Amino acid sequence: MSRWPRATAPAWPVHAGVVVATATAGTAYLYAGPHLRVLIFSLVTLVPVVTFGWALISGFLTDLRTWVTSAAGMVMLAGCMAFWSDWVTGHHFGRAEGRIADFGIATAHLIFLAGAATGLRKRGVGDLAGLLDAALFGVCVAGPAWAWLIAPRLTDSATPLGEMLALTDIAVLAAVLACLARIGRRARAARAPIAYLLLCCAATLGAHVASTLTAQHGSSTWTVIVLMLAYLTIAASAVHPAAPLVTDPDGPAEVPSGRPPLLGLGIALCANPLIAMIQGVRGDDAASVVLPVCSMLAVPLVLLRLRQMSLLRSRAERTLAHHALHDELTGLANRRHMVAEIDLALAELDRSAIDEVTVVLLDLDGFKPINDRFGHQAGDIVLRAVAERLTGSACPGAVVGRIGGDEFVVLLRGPAKPDLSTRVSNLIGRPVEVGGASVRVGVSAGAATAIRGANLDRDTLIGRADAAMYAEKAAHRRERAPALR
């Protein structure tokens, strides 16, 4: 059997370990005395430190920046719990007192979340919009939950600073919970460790609510047990066989489609001011921190979402503009683009900015038999090869386009070289590999030049080039005729 943790190891020991450890620690805590309870809780906080360290030292987790940062947050959190050993067991958790312990533990949470965000960044590449929407949903839920569920039950020991810290922690946890839920739906191979991360956030959020609801009267026992579950599930996420896949997506990023949720963005912007207004009308100051804290979290998310929508729109506009002016198969300028370029060049000629304008029309010889014998896909390969050769050999300033079928055009701001027809014929006549076979096509080219003062319009210039091209095509037919007799 493979050593564990390893990607090839079974996952059931992790699941069984979480269940057994939670049941054992919870039962022991229920029946232990006050001092032993502190010890049990402190030992549980060390479990994720041990599993993270074990997975890192064994080389199981390869994305060191992500996991080392997360481990540092867990180490700091365990240190805070050891130094302020009565913070949870003494029922200070949930009172929003703004003690130094609150700052230390909030900092540890932020360090861990920074590491987690670094690790999940690859999974969010194709779904940034969805993650921003999920985070906004979490923040919007946190505001009403705080205003109408938590804040009215805070004790007299709560301070404005403590309330801001507690609300920020709850809002961030809710946002992370929503983001993990969205990522877990798409990350099939890494779904189990992400589910443990999600369960950790949910347990921590539940402990926040439970501790507040029992702060005025009641025991902190169940709050501690739920927090121990959070520690054990976060420990499991690092040693699950699929843990490396959390930071290493198993497939290409998927870009979800759909319309932007403008209604959701509007709710995100209006929800917290609406809560503050309702509280103001009722004369209740308990939720006074909702507006500044939730707005501080929601407004940047909304701005990021609007920026992302703006970038998507700009990208779509650029794509549409490109397709409007370029041939889809070859990427060359299309007929509309070439007509505009010829008009522009003739205008430059009229202004004496250039001395000559030359238009070269090219029509492939022997292209239809390739389509008939090998199929249209083979014909597409030949057309792309011709386009690549023409573009690669064009002189600086030349514009190469495809105006339809097997017809190409080259615009030169200057005279065409005397041996143009021979050079183009040799270039295009090189073999092209198609489905294991080597095929060749010929080319008939016709050029027409407009010089300064000639007053040629676009249609006349193209007509002359077209006539020259068909004259050369007729000559090619006459040359091939004796060979067919």
Side-chain angles (χ1 to χ4, degrees), residues 363-415:
D363 185 81
L364 300 184
D365 298 332
F367 177 73
K368 187 177 183 300
I370 295 175
N371 261 345
D372 295 340
R373 181 178 178 185
F374 297 100
H376 290 287
Q377 290 184 345
D380 291 345
I381 294 174
V382 172
L383 291 175
R384 282 193 289 265
V386 170
E388 184 178 349
R389 292 171 185 178
L390 287 174
T391 303
S393 63
C395 60
V399 182
V400 182
R402 178 182 175 223
I403 56 176
D406 58 350
E407 296 183 359
F408 296 83
V409 61
V410 180
L411 171 65
L412 304 171
R413 284 173 166 80

Side-chain angles (χ1 to χ4, degrees), residues 279-335:
Q279 294 293 330
V281 171
R282 293 169 52 185
D284 187 358
D285 296 331
S288 59
V289 299
V290 169
L291 182 59
V293 172
C294 288
S295 297
M296 180 179 65
L297 296 173
V299 170
L301 292 173
V302 172
L303 292 177
L304 284 174
R305 185 65 171 96
L306 292 174
R307 181 178 183 274
Q308 190 265 347
M309 291 168 57
S310 177
L311 290 175
L312 286 178
R313 178 177 179 178
S314 298
R315 190 181 307 162
E317 290 175 348
R318 289 195 300 269
T319 301
L320 289 174
H322 178 83
H323 287 319
L325 298 175
H326 292 80
D327 176 56
E328 185 175 355
L329 176 63
T330 62
L332 298 179
N334 60 14
R335 180 184 294 272

Side-chain angles (χ1 to χ4, degrees), residues 49-75:
V49 177
V50 172
T51 58
F52 272 65
W54 181 15
L56 286 168
I57 294 173
S58 66
F60 177 59
L61 301 177
T62 55
D63 192 342
L64 295 182
R65 183 173 63 174
T66 294
W67 295 105
V68 169
T69 303
S70 299
M74 298 308 304
V75 170

Side-chain angles (χ1 to χ4, degrees), residues 233-248:
T233 51
I234 199 68
S237 68
V239 291
H240 190 280
L245 296 178
V246 172
T247 58
D248 184 17

